[in-house]
Amino acid sequence: MMGCCFSWCRDQSSSEETGDNERRTLIHPDANTSIQTNPPTLENVEPLTPSQVKKNDEQSDLNRILQNTITKVIDISALGCNNLEHSEYIERMNIYKAKLNVAPLPQILRHEECLLVDIPSPALSSCDISDYILINQTCEKAELAFKNVKVEHTNDLVVPFMIP
Amino acid sequence: METSISNFVQEIVSTNEGVGLLLVDNHGLCLSKGGDVDSKSSGLISAIAQHVAKLEPNLGPPVICISGDQGKILIKQGSNVTTAIFKPNDTPNGS
């Protein structure tokens, strides 16, 4: 992008002199005449006529800059949308699954056992309030039970060897 | 020595029919288990709890519910113990 912009800023004679190298203009200026190759300078600005108002001239310059910007910007919003419908999601998932079954993947990538293997589609269920109470109470009791773990002294940790 | 944890696990499993219970320490090692639970899941359970807790670090430890066709897994991380309850779908609710 920077190389492309840099090449637009140079005049045409210097680009022809450099020939084929990495700094060459990617798009030849004659290929698309709608794109203005030279930035507005004092030489290529037309002289003002007495009937023209200075404000209108500034407006035309601004419009020209805006037009140049529009021609150089690539609008990616029209290239595609990432929002998938649920049916399309399922359809794509089935296609990918079919392709994965055919593809000769290594055995390590074919996980037969995983936690979410039994979910055929994106789960939409939520946690019940009874489950919420159950896990909270169990967690509190587990903490209490853990704190009640005590090391019982059965044998001496340091045992004297039979050294004469 | 660890009879308090063993008794607690048996109590929970007997009170809630069909429920599995897994207690994991902060290093992902299994402290105790009861019911139809694989102790090999202890590392995964601990990792899930620690990662999910990072989503909202300013709040308390969240209750994680992993739901599937055959049941759900409830996970909550305590200060010393991470508790995981494996609950089949056809199990009647108990407290």
Side-chain angles (χ1 to χ4, degrees):
Chain A
M1 184 65 185
M2 286 184 64
C4 193
C5 292
F6 177 73
S7 59
W8 285 119
C9 296
R10 297 185 308 157
D11 55 1
Q12 189 174 351
S13 61
S14 63
S15 67
E16 288 175 351
E17 288 172 2
T18 53
D20 278 343
N21 56 21
E22 69 276 8
R23 295 182 182 275
R24 180 173 56 86
T25 305
L26 295 177
I27 302 174
H28 196 275
D30 296 335
N32 193 353
T33 56
S34 65
I35 300 175
Q36 184 174 355
T37 58
N38 294 324
T41 59
L42 289 176
E43 288 80 13
N44 59 11
V45 172
E46 296 179 357
L48 293 174
T49 60
S51 61
Q52 286 179 323
V53 187
K54 188 179 180 182
K55 187 177 179 182
N56 290 335
D57 195 36
E58 289 179 353
Q59 188 65 36
S60 66
D61 281 344
L62 289 175
N63 287 335
R64 187 168 50 197
I65 293 172
L66 179 63
Q67 188 63 34
N68 285 341
T69 308
I70 289 174
T71 55
K72 292 177 183 175
V73 167
I74 302 172
D75 186 12
I76 63 168
S77 63
L79 293 180
C81 185
N82 291 326
N83 296 327
L84 289 176
E85 295 293 332
H86 187 74
S87 57
E88 191 177 358
Y89 178 89
I90 300 294
E91 184 180 349
R92 287 193 183 187
M93 188 176 68
N94 291 332
I95 292 174
Y96 295 152
K97 272 186 178 176
K99 286 186 179 296
L100 275 178
N101 289 329
V102 175
L105 284 177
Q107 189 63 29
I108 193 170
L109 293 180
R110 295 182 178 275
H111 289 293
E112 297 296 335
E113 295 179 358
C114 64
L115 284 175
L116 303 179
V117 73
D118 58 343
I119 297 180
S121 60
L124 299 175
S125 62
S126 60
C127 186
D128 299 333
I129 186 65
S130 60
D131 296 334
Y132 184 78
I133 295 172
L134 173 65
I135 185 65
N136 274 327
Q137 288 182 347
T138 308
C139 189
E140 289 177 4
K141 292 178 182 175
E143 287 290 333
L144 287 176
F146 180 80
K147 288 174 182 173
N148 289 330
V149 173
K150 295 175 182 175
V151 177
E152 296 174 354
H153 178 73
T154 55
N155 296 321
D156 290 337
L157 295 177
V158 180
V159 180
F161 289 99
M162 299 300 293
I163 299 176
Chain B
M1 200 156 66
E2 68 278 5
T3 52
S4 59
I5 288 185
S6 301
N7 293 337
F8 163 71
V9 169
Q10 291 305 318
E11 176 194 341
I12 294 294
V13 171
S14 59
T15 307
N16 305 278
E17 186 182 355
V19 162
L21 180 63
L22 185 63
L23 302 181
V24 188
D25 71 352
N26 289 336
H27 301 286
L29 302 175
C30 177
L31 291 173
S32 182
K33 80 179 191 75
D36 188 15
V37 175
D38 189 0
S39 60
K40 292 179 181 175
S41 307
S42 55
L44 285 172
I45 295 294
S46 176
I48 289 171
Q50 292 178 17
H51 280 88
V52 174
K54 290 176 184 174
L55 290 175
E56 294 286 349
N58 296 326
L59 301 179
V63 171
I64 307 164
C65 179
I66 302 174
S67 181
D69 280 350
Q70 300 173 5
K72 61 180 70 173
I73 307 173
L74 305 167
I75 304 172
K76 186 172 183 185
Q77 185 183 25
S79 56
N80 297 307
V81 182
T82 299
T83 307
I85 297 177
F86 292 71
K87 191 175 181 186
N89 275 338
D90 54 351
T91 299
N93 291 333
S95 59

